Amino acid sequence: MSTQTDNEKRIREIKRLNDLSAGNKLSGLPIQVEKMDVDLTALEGLPLAHPRLFMKAKEIPAFKEKIKQDVNYCSWQDFIKAQQKWIGVEPHEAPSVYPPETVKETRLWRPYWRRMYIACQESLNVVRNLSIIAKIEKNIDAFNTAKAWLLSLAEYDPQGATSRAYNDEAAFRVVAALAWGYDWLYEKLTDEERAKIKDRIIIRLEEVIDHLYNEIQLTENPLNSHGVRSISSVVVPCCIALYGEYDKAKEYLAYALKYYAGQYPPWGGRDGAWAEGADYWNTAMAVLTEAFDYVKGYIGIDLYQKEFYRNTGAFILNCMPVHSRRASFCDQSSIGDLPGLKLAYNLRVFSSLSNNPVYMWYFNQLKARDKDAESKFYNYGWWDFNYDTLRFGHLCEELKEEKPQADPYLKVFPEVGWAAFHKDMPNKEEHVHLIFKSSPFGSISHSHGDQNAFTLHAYGETLAAITGYYGGYGVDMHLKWRRQTCSKNLILIGGKGQYGENATSSKTHKDQNCLDAAGKITSYDENKNVPFLVGDATEAYRFHVPSIKSCKREIHSIEGDVFVIRDIVETTDEQTITWLMHTTFSADTKEKGFTIKGEKSKLDVSFLTEQENIESVEYVIGFGEVNPKEFEDLDVHSHVRTEFKAKKKHSIVTLLVPSKLNQDRAVTAKLAGEQLIVTREGKQYEVTFVEQS
């Protein structure tokens, strides 16, 4: 047996362990998934003519007529123009397995992994887009190129480097391309070519089905993100393409429909939030909306009929704010950048589905500013905006945008435990927002040990931020910094944070521990004059702080630009508290507080209680014990650590006042029992604490 074969087996085993660590073997979900009825008799007697994906064969004449009447219908001419660069280009060679030196350290195979799935995405784009053009325009050059790439993909070893077990991101793209080419070029393929392509689709489809049915048992363990995504990416398009031609296609479609109706989404409730955060909402919705459109168009079942889909756009609008960086939670491939353009394209779909023109404002804001979106690795290699535009233009109604409200408000997503205070959202230089998270999903999968954490953005800059980088799942920065409480705007109790372990090699890691390390929003009032929320992170700390009795944080907002935070921590023994605030800017420390100074704004932080209990206020630069090689040539971030002496019960009240650099705000606060009187620019506000000290 060759060394290369041994290395290939080892990487497959690493991949398998990662697959099995993604939300399996759990006692149950923290939310109740909304259910809907589906009539599976709709799977009987479906039309057998090709194509079926995106539009049925009988719909093509009407599509051609619309283009004839309006050459700009669904940006058809732009779609054609964007594909010209691929006409006559030779197909990619089949990707090779990762080099031997990458086996012992997963971070080393990330560049090869990315290179592989990007090449496979290009193959999907070529086959899908040129097949559509060939069919609609009867374009022989488009047909010849699409067919050449399709037949090349059919020669890839389905058990090799592009198999699901080796690189599922590559596998999803290869089999989707095979399905598209088989469906749209069907009439122009020979019997031998069709048989070869069909065989390859079935082999790859069955590998995914075996993974879903047997290895991860998705219906019993529904939090496996990649497993969930493989239904949208593989099962739906492949089984629609093979319907009536492969005896198991109808069975697998029924499996997909029942899953979507009864167990999806596992990461969100009726409030529309997504426990894995905005970037993983983005990836999930990108393939989900395509799959739902294929199901609706070919089978006639509308899977969007759940409250989640009507409400989920509000989650992105509020919790991945259009003007801010590093202001949201969970794993983010785009961390450090403004929200990625694909979010906007997804939100445009939901603007049509929910008839909400504010989401079109979000889309237009991102579209106008992101002129080089395809240069970013988290866009190029993942999706094709030209196809997105074509699909939306043909299937959806575009609304005229409407700006969001400028008045201060609080939006809470109670089921998944996210919330956002906003003021002046439409105005980039005036927008102030505080995002909060205390989730019953704990630190499972792409979530972190960050229950009761917050970020704060003001006047064009995120001052209290999420720091670090996302070089990939399981690398040093991910395991030792990004997933851990020490990297959040949170507290440590006795130097310990919440359970955030997720290394498959760790003896202490269990998915159930991640889910048990949960938080929750226990109280809130969105309509009060001084809106507030309360988060309970007690269980999140219990693994590392067994003496904990209670850990709660409440946040009050005054006119959307002054914030009062109260942390109440109670333990059976005396414990120190470390109060952390992270930033990408510098900070000046004082005896009873500190100031973070951005380029355009600043944040004054004052501790109003337990001042005599403060041992130190320290400005710290660095990422703890993270391997420095992982952030070579990148900015190193910082945080302020405020240490409080050991006690059995702490009640720490903090005043946060953001302002522009050239602005001296007149804000004072005076404590009176369980009430705080805040004077903001001459006007008094009463903050009545919910949790008693």
Side-chain angles (χ1 to χ4, degrees):
M1 186 179 290
S2 69
T3 302
Q4 185 65 56
T5 302
D6 289 338
N7 289 335
E8 185 176 345
K9 282 188 173 183
R10 177 58 185 143
I11 287 178
R12 283 176 179 271
E13 179 61 18
I14 292 171
K15 177 71 170 66
R16 189 185 73 85
L17 288 172
N18 284 337
D19 288 339
L20 295 177
S21 73
N24 293 291
K25 299 179 181 177
L26 302 173
S27 60
L29 292 178
I31 63 169
Q32 185 167 351
V33 176
E34 184 182 358
K35 301 183 187 305
M36 65 176 285
D37 294 325
V38 290
D39 182 3
L40 295 180
T41 63
L43 293 173
E44 304 295 336
L46 294 172
L48 299 180
H50 291 278
R52 306 162 183 178
L53 297 171
F54 179 48
M55 67 180 77
K56 291 181 285 194
K58 67 178 184 180
E59 296 169 346
I60 288 179
F63 182 80
K64 289 182 176 181
E65 184 61 29
K66 288 181 179 179
I67 294 171
K68 184 178 179 180
Q69 294 177 4
D70 179 5
V71 294
N72 292 317
Y73 173 69
C74 62
S75 300
W76 178 246
Q77 295 304 318
D78 291 336
F79 179 73
I80 293 176
K81 183 179 179 180
Q83 313 312 316
Q84 294 305 307
K85 63 183 179 182
W86 294 109
I87 298 290
V89 175
E90 291 296 312
H92 293 314
E93 293 183 3
S96 301
V97 294
Y98 310 141
E101 65 270 17
T102 67
V103 174
K104 294 182 180 179
E105 197 169 354
T106 57
R107 71 179 179 89
L108 295 178
W109 49 266
R110 289 283 159 177
Y112 303 97
W113 169 75
R114 283 200 178 117
R115 194 177 306 157
M116 188 187 299
Y117 76 66
I118 287 173
C120 293
Q121 178 70 41
E122 288 180 337
S123 298
L124 169 59
N125 293 347
V126 170
V127 172
R128 178 190 58 207
N129 297 351
L130 292 185
S131 294
I132 293 172
I133 292 170
K135 185 77 174 178
I136 301 299
E137 296 283 324
K138 298 188 183 301
N139 185 316
I140 189 64
D141 293 330
F143 167 76
N144 287 336
T145 302
K147 181 178 177 179
W149 284 65
L150 174 64
L151 295 178
S152 175
L153 289 171
E155 295 299 325
Y156 286 14
D157 181 0
Q159 277 87 41
T162 61
S163 64
R164 193 224 63 81
Y166 195 85
N167 182 340
D168 59 358
E169 296 296 358
F172 294 167
R173 290 156 173 79
V174 170
V175 72
L178 290 170
W180 268 91
Y182 182 83
D183 187 40
W184 276 78
L185 301 179
Y186 187 89
E187 294 176 351
K188 298 294 184 179
L189 299 172
T190 67
D191 290 344
E192 183 180 356
E193 289 166 344
R194 281 198 294 266
K196 179 67 174 288
I197 296 163
K198 177 182 173 183
D199 175 70
R200 290 297 186 262
I201 295 173
I202 290 172
I203 292 172
R204 290 176 176 276
L205 170 64
E206 289 293 347
E207 185 195 18
V208 168
I209 290 292
D210 180 67
H211 182 64
L212 294 172
Y213 279 29
N214 301 316
E215 189 159 29
I216 62 172
Q217 299 176 2
L218 184 66
T219 55
E220 285 74 40
N221 300 288
L223 290 184
N224 187 292
S225 294
H226 284 231
V228 171
R229 191 148 52 85
S230 70
I231 299 180
S232 301
S233 301
V234 177
V235 177
V236 169
C238 289
C239 290
I240 287 177
L242 295 179
Y243 178 87
E245 299 166 38
Y246 180 51
D247 56 0
K248 293 184 179 180
K250 186 163 67 173
E251 172 196 329
Y252 297 157
L253 279 173
Y255 169 86
L257 295 176
K258 286 189 288 186
Y259 178 78
Y260 286 133
Q263 292 186 279
Y264 197 90
W267 297 102
R270 295 173 186 270
D271 61 19
W274 192 260
E276 289 190 298
D279 270 15
Y280 282 84
W281 175 95
N282 194 35
T283 307
M285 293 301 113
V287 292
L288 182 89
T289 54
E290 286 192 38
F292 278 21
D293 286 346
Y294 302 153
V295 168
K296 186 177 180 180
Y298 182 62
I299 303 173
I301 294 177
D302 186 354
L303 292 168
Y304 289 115
Q305 299 304 305
K306 291 188 179 185
E307 283 188 51
F308 171 84
Y309 302 112
R310 290 193 289 274
N311 295 329
T312 194
F315 173 65
I316 298 303
L317 177 72
N318 288 284
C319 295
M320 194 66 162
V322 66
H323 297 134
S324 58
R325 308 171 192 263
R326 298 184 173 277
S328 200
F329 299 103
C330 301
D331 288 339
Q332 297 175 47
S333 58
S334 62
I335 188 169
D337 290 346
L338 292 161
L341 186 57
K342 183 62 175 181
L343 278 170
Y345 275 85
N346 282 334
L347 208 55
R348 180 169 65 164
V349 172
F350 286 104
S351 77
S352 179
L353 290 170
S354 59
N355 194 33
N356 192 323
V358 175
Y359 304 158
M360 279 304 300
W361 171 85
Y362 191 102
F363 171 82
N364 290 333
Q365 291 288 307
L366 267 63
K367 187 76 164 58
R369 77 173 178 224
D370 201 346
K371 300 299 185 183
D372 61 342
E374 288 198 349
S375 69
K376 301 178 176 72
F377 75 89
Y378 50 82
N379 286 327
Y380 194 81
W382 284 93
W383 18 74
D384 180 351
F385 295 125
N386 296 299
Y387 173 67
D388 285 348
T389 301
L390 173 70
R391 177 173 140 251
F392 179 85
H394 181 56
L395 299 178
C396 303
E397 178 186 356
E398 182 162 326
L399 305 180
K400 185 177 180 180
E401 76 163 54
E402 183 178 301
K403 289 184 178 181
Q405 71 177 72
D407 294 337
Y409 70 91
L410 166 62
K411 173 64 177 176
V412 178
F413 302 90
E415 289 182 88
V416 180
W418 290 56
F421 296 91
H422 282 278
K423 180 181 182 179
D424 260 331
M425 183 186 285
N427 304 314
K428 179 181 177 181
E429 301 303 324
E430 302 297 325
H431 189 187
V432 178
H433 64 74
L434 184 149
I435 314 297
F436 178 83
K437 174 177 178 279
S438 194
S439 174
F441 285 84
S443 56
I444 193 75
S445 187
H446 291 289
S447 296
H448 298 166
D450 58 1
Q451 315 324 313
N452 281 7
F454 70 91
T455 62
L456 195 153
H457 174 97
Y459 311 113
E461 297 174 322
T462 304
L463 299 166
I466 296 293
T467 58
Y469 299 94
Y470 186 44
Y473 197 91
V475 301
D476 223 39
M477 175 70 78
H478 185 244
L479 296 178
K480 295 179 181 178
W481 189 254
R482 293 281 296 116
R483 287 189 60 83
Q484 304 304 323
T485 310
C486 61
S487 70
K488 313 301 178 188
N489 300 315
L490 259 175
I491 63 169
L492 304 178
I493 303 173
K496 304 292 185 181
Q498 303 169 16
Y499 184 89
E501 181 63 73
N502 209 28
T504 53
S505 59
S506 170
K507 294 180 180 179
T508 65
H509 169 63
K510 291 182 181 179
D511 285 346
Q512 190 62 51
N513 289 343
C514 292
L515 202 59
D516 289 342
K520 56 185 175 181
I521 294 177
T522 58
S523 180
Y524 65 94
D525 192 328
E526 296 172 323
N527 300 314
K528 196 174 180 180
N529 183 41
V530 179
F532 73 88
L533 58 81
V534 179
D536 186 341
T538 306
E539 296 306 316
Y541 287 94
R542 190 170 299 283
F543 186 90
H544 293 303
V545 188
S547 65
I548 193 166
K549 292 175 66 178
S550 179
C551 179
K552 296 183 179 181
R553 167 172 278 177
E554 61 180 281
I555 301 179
H556 301 254
S557 171
I558 298 166
E559 297 294 341
D561 60 10
V562 173
F563 300 92
V564 174
I565 299 178
R566 189 186 206 184
D567 292 293
I568 297 181
V569 182
E570 189 171 2
T571 51
T572 58
D573 56 355
E574 293 188 344
Q575 294 281 357
T576 60
I577 295 294
T578 306
W579 203 97
L580 300 170
M581 182 173 285
H582 291 260
T583 187
T584 58
F585 300 110
S586 63
D588 294 332
T589 61
K590 296 172 277 190
E591 185 178 353
K592 300 174 183 178
F594 56 91
T595 299
I596 290 174
K597 290 185 177 180
E599 297 176 357
K600 298 182 288 186
S601 58
K602 63 181 179 178
L603 176 62
D604 290 308
V605 180
S606 306
F607 296 102
L608 305 181
T609 60
E610 298 206 22
Q611 295 176 354
E612 72 289 347
N613 207 29
I614 296 175
E615 287 194 316
S616 63
V617 183
E618 183 183 8
Y619 177 63
V620 181
I621 300 174
F623 300 121
E625 299 177 356
V626 176
N627 185 342
K629 290 183 179 179
E630 292 196 4
F631 53 91
E632 283 180 333
D633 303 321
L634 298 173
D635 291 339
V636 180
H637 305 143
S638 59
H639 62 277
V640 178
R641 298 173 61 95
T642 303
E643 303 286 353
F644 290 84
K645 297 175 185 176
K647 291 170 57 178
K648 288 186 177 180
K649 188 169 185 179
H650 294 264
S651 177
I652 302 169
V653 178
T654 315
L655 181 68
L656 278 61
V657 182
S659 59
K660 296 179 181 179
L661 277 184
N662 58 358
Q663 177 186 23
D664 290 321
R665 300 191 62 191
V667 180
T668 60
K670 182 178 180 181
L671 195 64
E674 297 301 322
Q675 196 173 67
L676 186 71
I677 307 300
V678 177
T679 303
R680 173 192 175 276
E681 276 77 51
K683 184 177 178 180
Q684 285 193 346
Y685 298 81
E686 295 180 356
V687 174
T688 301
F689 293 121
V690 179
E691 298 296 322
Q692 303 302 299
S693 60

